[in-house]
Amino acid sequence: MFDVSSLDGRLCQLFIYARGYLPRDVLYHAWRAMEEDEAAARVFHAYQVESGEPFGLRGDLAYFVDYFAPPHGRQLLICQAKVDDSIAGFIWFDDVIPQYRAMANLFFRRKFFGSVAFEAGNMALTFAFEAMSLKTLWALTPWREANAYAKRIGFQPVAVLPQFTLIDQKPTDMHLLRLTVEDYLNGRG
């Protein structure tokens, strides 16, 4: 059985999102943290903006809540910073094949890049490999900072997919990274 105390670190704590088990407005506060950092376009970069959206739907509150609501199969971990009890960011796993693999995703507020994000990432890996019993985690990102973060917590580069996606109508490379449970157990790659 997974010991949830492993999600309580020195700098932050991760909360497993389950509707009805966390405060009713927790998704709103997670979205608000992302909005305050003006990060929705980066977090939801795969959403193709429609012409004629004067305010933009990408990452709006309705999209955000729907994205993390059941039955989409995403496992969301919300990170609370201990320094001020604010939401520092969140990590989620999607495209899950139970007890086999998942895609790892994240958002952290700029002021929590560094030690808090690093600690949260390591606790999320523990959750993925121990609680979810995954064998492999994959990450796919166009962002230099996310690529560096993934490497820092043990992911290994697999490939660069040239012009794999469009971001604001511009062809953009994607970095594919992987972390196996064996590499995790042997010191994270």
Side-chain angles (χ1 to χ4, degrees), residues 16-133:
I16 303 164
Y17 176 72
R19 191 171 176 202
Y21 291 89
L22 293 176
R24 293 168 50 99
D25 58 355
V26 71
L27 286 181
Y28 166 77
H29 288 289
W31 172 79
R32 189 79 222 140
M34 183 185 68
E35 282 293 292
E36 287 172 3
D37 267 27
E38 300 177 352
R42 290 176 63 87
V43 172
F44 297 108
H45 61 82
Y47 177 94
Q48 297 303 306
V49 176
E50 303 282 331
S51 62
E53 289 180 3
F55 296 103
L57 301 177
R58 177 171 45 194
D60 73 357
L61 181 58
Y63 182 88
F64 185 87
V65 170
D66 182 62
Y67 188 82
F68 288 112
H72 299 300
R74 294 181 177 93
Q75 181 63 69
L76 175 62
L77 303 172
I78 298 173
C79 178
Q80 181 179 21
K82 290 190 173 182
V83 68
D84 62 4
D85 290 333
S86 69
I87 292 179
F90 39 93
I91 297 169
W92 70 98
F93 303 106
D94 61 8
D95 198 20
V96 178
I97 297 176
Q99 299 183 339
Y100 182 61
R101 69 124 167 101
M103 296 297 292
N105 308 270
L106 64 96
F107 158 74
F108 279 93
R109 302 193 67 186
R110 283 184 291 276
K111 69 181 183 179
F112 293 110
F113 284 1
S115 299
V116 170
F118 182 74
E119 182 179 77
N122 282 299
M123 290 188 297
L125 294 178
T126 298
F127 178 81
F129 290 123
E130 294 180 16
M132 297 176 71
S133 302

Side-chain angles (χ1 to χ4, degrees), residues 28 64 86 89 92 137 154 158 170 181 186:
Y28 166 77
F64 185 87
S86 69
W92 70 98
L137 285 173
V158 173
K170 180 182 173 202
V181 68
N186 293 321

